[in-house]
Amino acid sequence: MESEKPILYNYFRSSSSWRVRIALELKKIDYEYKPISLIKDGGEQYTEDFTKINPKQEVPALQIDGHLLLQSLPIIEYLDETRPNQHQLLPNDAVKRAKARMIAEIINSGMQPFQNLNVIKRVAKETQSEDKKMEWIKFYLTKGFKAVESILQETCGKYCVGDQITIADLCLVPQVYSAKRFNIDMSEFPNATRVNEELEKIPEFIKAHAHRQIDTPQELKEY
Ligand SMILES: N[C@@H](CCC(=O)N[C@@H](CS)C(=O)NCC(=O)O)C(=O)O
């Protein structure tokens, strides 16, 4: 295993980046934070240099152990497999592992893509309407949270799947933040709300929060 300090290319408010930041904290991995602004000058994700790092022009990307890894969920699984001694994020039990991945996947493929910056910009452009854009986001986030909530009814303990922090929790916290940002009424989702509140108390989750990063704008910054 190479000893160079890992580099995380990310953006403070990117929910996919945030998942990986939580994993790095839980795994006690010291890393270099390379901010890639998704808004500055039309978006640094589109620069030639960053496109060489991630041809899909998205954050996060993680340089670690001599490898460049893309896609938050495979990155988290890699960290879990290579650092199994700290906070195991995929449960040993096959059923619990499947349920944790199920929740993570609903958020990863069924919610985040619909609120992704380039997608919502296109919706606003095609419809010529900010209201239609907000309706679009609200529709998909509400649909996703309905599904997550019904699974949590069966799986949750202190956290999404029992009392162990799993990959599902790493996805839930940034997604709840996004939902609140887009004015989704979370009172419809009491389990997701309660689990999120529990997770938000954990020091590693606090450290990884969008409002505590080096590229967090001053007006949002919490110390
Ligand atoms: N499935 C990818 C999603 C990555 C992604 O969509 N990242 C967003 C921020 S959360 C992004 O970089 N968006 C740039 C854009 O929309 O232009 C992952 O989990 O890493």
Side-chain angles (χ1 to χ4, degrees):
M1 202 169 280
E2 307 230 338
S3 60
E4 269 177 27
K5 196 169 178 176
I7 302 172
L8 179 65
Y9 298 87
N10 79 133
Y11 180 57
F12 78 102
R13 197 151 55 191
S14 148
S15 60
S16 311
S17 303
W18 185 341
R19 300 169 191 163
V20 175
R21 290 199 300 264
I22 302 169
L24 289 165
E25 294 299 336
L26 289 169
K27 296 288 180 185
K28 310 255 177 288
I29 300 169
D30 187 25
Y31 66 96
E32 187 184 336
Y33 187 116
K34 276 258 168 75
I36 302 296
S37 170
L38 300 186
I39 53 172
K40 194 172 147 206
D41 303 327
E44 292 176 340
Q45 70 274 35
Y46 299 115
T47 60
E48 214 182 306
D49 281 354
F50 189 71
T51 304
K52 281 186 201 144
I53 292 168
N54 186 353
K56 195 154 185 297
Q57 302 175 315
E58 291 167 352
V59 286
L62 181 68
Q63 179 71 46
I64 191 165
D65 303 337
H67 309 290
L68 179 66
L69 302 180
L70 307 173
Q71 296 291 332
S72 61
L73 298 191
I75 293 174
I76 292 165
E77 296 219 7
Y78 172 83
L79 295 176
D80 209 39
E81 285 167 24
T82 55
R83 277 93 174 155
N85 296 333
Q86 300 273 3
H87 274 290
Q88 194 185 344
L89 298 168
L90 276 308
N92 280 335
D93 178 78
V95 176
K96 287 190 174 156
R97 193 161 65 243
K99 302 235 161 151
R101 283 183 170 137
M102 262 160 60
I103 297 167
E105 200 50 39
I106 291 173
I107 295 171
N108 182 56
S109 65
M111 298 173 79
Q112 184 276 337
F114 296 97
Q115 72 187 28
N116 206 1
L117 193 60
N118 70 84
V119 174
I120 58 176
K121 269 191 187 163
R122 184 168 280 251
V123 172
K125 195 171 160 202
E126 295 288 330
T127 59
Q128 293 289 306
S129 162
E130 280 297 306
D131 287 349
K132 286 261 183 305
K133 178 185 95 177
M134 292 313 293
E135 263 174 45
W136 163 280
I137 297 170
K138 204 168 177 169
F139 176 82
Y140 286 106
L141 295 199
T142 305
K143 187 168 158 53
F145 267 119
K146 276 188 184 150
V148 169
E149 184 68 20
S150 84
I151 295 169
L152 288 179
Q153 269 171 23
E154 186 226 320
T155 61
C156 79
K158 196 169 178 191
Y159 306 123
C160 285
V161 181
D163 295 336
Q164 180 186 347
I165 297 172
T166 66
I167 194 165
D169 299 297
L170 277 54
C171 293
L172 181 77
V173 168
Q175 193 57 59
V176 171
Y177 172 92
S178 299
K180 288 183 183 162
R181 190 171 151 238
F182 292 121
N183 294 321
I184 306 296
D185 177 10
M186 289 302 292
S187 65
E188 273 186 65
F189 313 115
N191 287 302
T193 302
R194 186 191 50 73
V195 170
N196 180 64
E197 279 168 7
E198 203 57 59
L199 290 162
E200 279 185 328
K201 296 178 199 156
I202 299 170
E204 287 86 351
F205 281 71
I206 294 174
K207 225 174 149 195
H209 193 280
H211 292 180
R212 290 173 183 267
Q213 306 310 311
I214 55 173
D215 58 339
T216 307
Q218 210 49 43
E219 64 276 17
L220 294 176
K221 205 123 184 172
E222 288 167 25
Y223 294 94

